[in-house]
Amino acid sequence: AASDVYKRQVYIYTVSDITIYENTADLSLPVMDGKTFVLVTCYPFRYSGHAPGKCVVTARRIGRKQVIAALHLCDFACE
């Protein structure tokens, strides 16, 4: 129902490192714990096809807050 209430935690991160690997063979993922978020994407960004490198963005969780929102997923997905 549209009145369903979901309590969610929103985590806040700060970027601690951005590393560009020109060659995927050189890729090295950082050691992670429960407060580390790692995003790996293709590089160069505008490359079309299989990109030769990777961009690795590492972020550390610095906080969180509770968000209460009313949402009914079918309002968006079932039209």
Side-chain angles (χ1 to χ4, degrees), residues 20-22 41-55:
I20 301 293
Y21 293 92
E22 297 290 339
T41 189
C42 296
Y43 183 84
F45 303 120
R46 63 183 174 275
Y47 201 87
S48 179
H50 181 72
K54 298 290 184 217
C55 174

Side-chain angles (χ1 to χ4, degrees), residues 5-33:
V5 174
Y6 298 93
K7 293 181 181 178
R8 304 287 174 151
Q9 294 291 325
V10 173
Y11 295 97
I12 303 164
Y13 290 81
T14 186
V15 173
S16 57
D17 188 52
I18 299 174
T19 304
I20 301 293
Y21 293 92
E22 297 290 339
N23 185 334
T24 302
D26 298 331
L27 178 63
S28 170
L29 291 177
V31 175
M32 297 182 296
D33 59 22

